[in-house]
Amino acid sequence: MKAFVVDKYKRKGALRQANVPEPELEDFDVLIRIQATAVNLLDSKLRDGEFKLILPYRPPFVLGHDVAGTVVKTGPSVRQFKVGDEVYARPRDHRIGTFAELIAVDQSDVALKPNNLSMTEAASIPLVGLTAWQALVEVGNVKPGQKVFIQAGSGGVGTFAIQLAKYLGATVATTTSAKNAELVKSLGADVVIDYKTQDFEKVLSEYDLVLNSQDPKTLDKSLHVLKPGGQLISISGPPDPAFAKELGLNLFLKLVLRLLSRGVRKKAKRLGIRYSFLFMRADGHQLGEITSLIESGIIRPIVDTVFPFAKTAEALAYVETGRAKGKIVIAVAD
């Protein structure tokens, strides 16, 4: 089958289109013929080797974390899905590879595709949807009346998280450029900060939760907009000891991650704030909950551009510019 592979860890390295063997099915797997996938900054970071200590892949490997398509075969122990089902998923770590024509995914990572979305729209959802869900529902436990600050509101995670936070009853602040202000307002943002002309640290105060997706400087500033007892949840690092424990890392790597996050954890503790690093995980049940919200019209996908499969490398390069509104999608097949 055709796929786009990483031959070696290399910053800004090119993806290579190649013919690779079709995936082998395990007992609980479904084989999905991929009709659409999406591009995330995570793909760029993996290609560059930023996570190779904690999330190693042996090159050559196929990139890609979002899939929408049709089940064409099931493993002998699969009971949740059947051939012909239209599904979507974020495959679990170490089993990624959606920049391809086929992928085998454990059934517990899969959900039926929302019936009101096209395949390209559905492919834009899994990674960002699960990230927002796990941050705001699972970890953040957002309640009606709380104040939530979501950075980079016009990005992939931001466009989804704003809608989810509003559904949960929160007052939502976000940062974006002036040209994207109307977009984030249409998604439910109550306070819109132009990051080019305003400093969110001077505008916001007494917030219950911050979803950080930016650089260390922004992370540090975010501590000062939270009230005592608030939560700072970061999806861009630094990883914390709880994450190291969850991964079952060796003693050396646990120490490394502890040192990386020591500064922000000390500052947070001093301010009475909880800090946690979130690296989202695959979860078909949560994706099913998200499906219900989409089919009810509560959340809608935001897709910037759809690239053809042959231009997968160009799609990844576009994501790296940081200019996309919502998600960049790749149409793999009709």
Side-chain angles (χ1 to χ4, degrees), residues 137-154:
V137 177
E138 186 176 78
V139 179
N141 193 27
V142 172
K143 302 294 186 185
Q146 290 188 323
K147 294 162 66 177
V148 175
F149 172 38
I150 295 164
Q151 296 166 7
S154 60

Side-chain angles (χ1 to χ4, degrees), residues 223 263-275:
L223 289 167
V264 67
R265 287 187 292 108
K266 284 183 65 176
K267 289 180 182 178
K269 185 177 181 180
R270 188 170 63 247
L271 295 168
I273 292 164
R274 289 168 287 167
Y275 171 78

Side-chain angles (χ1 to χ4, degrees), residues 42-71:
L42 177 58
D43 298 305
S44 173
K45 292 177 184 296
L46 283 182
R47 178 208 59 199
D48 294 350
E50 290 189 25
F51 292 111
K52 64 183 177 181
L53 283 178
I54 60 176
L55 194 62
Y57 288 91
R58 180 176 295 176
F61 62 91
V62 182
L63 270 181
H65 291 79
D66 287 304
V67 58
T70 304
V71 175

Side-chain angles (χ1 to χ4, degrees), residues 75-133:
S77 299
V78 171
R79 299 292 180 268
Q80 297 180 34
F81 303 97
K82 64 183 185 302
V83 172
D85 281 345
E86 294 187 337
V87 297
Y88 69 154
R90 191 287 205 192
R92 64 188 56 182
D93 293 329
H94 302 293
R95 297 199 66 189
I96 64 166
T98 62
F99 294 173
E101 294 178 309
L102 294 164
I103 189 170
V105 185
D106 189 289
Q107 66 174 352
S108 64
D109 299 343
V110 180
L112 292 173
K113 178 184 76 68
N115 57 31
N116 57 337
L117 296 189
S118 67
M119 285 290 182
T120 51
E121 290 173 325
S124 73
I125 295 294
L127 186 142
V128 297
L130 288 169
T131 298
W133 184 277

Side-chain angles (χ1 to χ4, degrees), residues 10 80 96 124 138 196-197 203 218 232 234 290 303 312 333:
K10 182 180 179 182
Q80 297 180 34
I96 64 166
S124 73
E138 186 176 78
K196 294 183 178 180
T197 61
V203 177
T218 305
L232 175 54
S234 179
I290 290 168
V303 175
T312 295

Side-chain angles (χ1 to χ4, degrees), residues 174-214:
T174 193
T175 48
T176 191
S177 62
K179 67 178 181 180
N180 292 326
E182 289 307 314
L183 169 64
V184 297
K185 288 178 183 177
S186 75
L187 299 175
D190 301 288
V191 180
V192 179
I193 299 164
D194 182 351
Y195 72 89
K196 294 183 178 180
T197 61
Q198 294 176 285
D199 183 349
F200 72 81
E201 188 181 3
K202 297 178 180 178
V203 177
L204 308 178
S205 63
E206 295 295 301
Y207 269 66
D208 297 279
L209 186 147
V210 173
L211 179 55
N212 176 75
S213 58
Q214 304 300 299

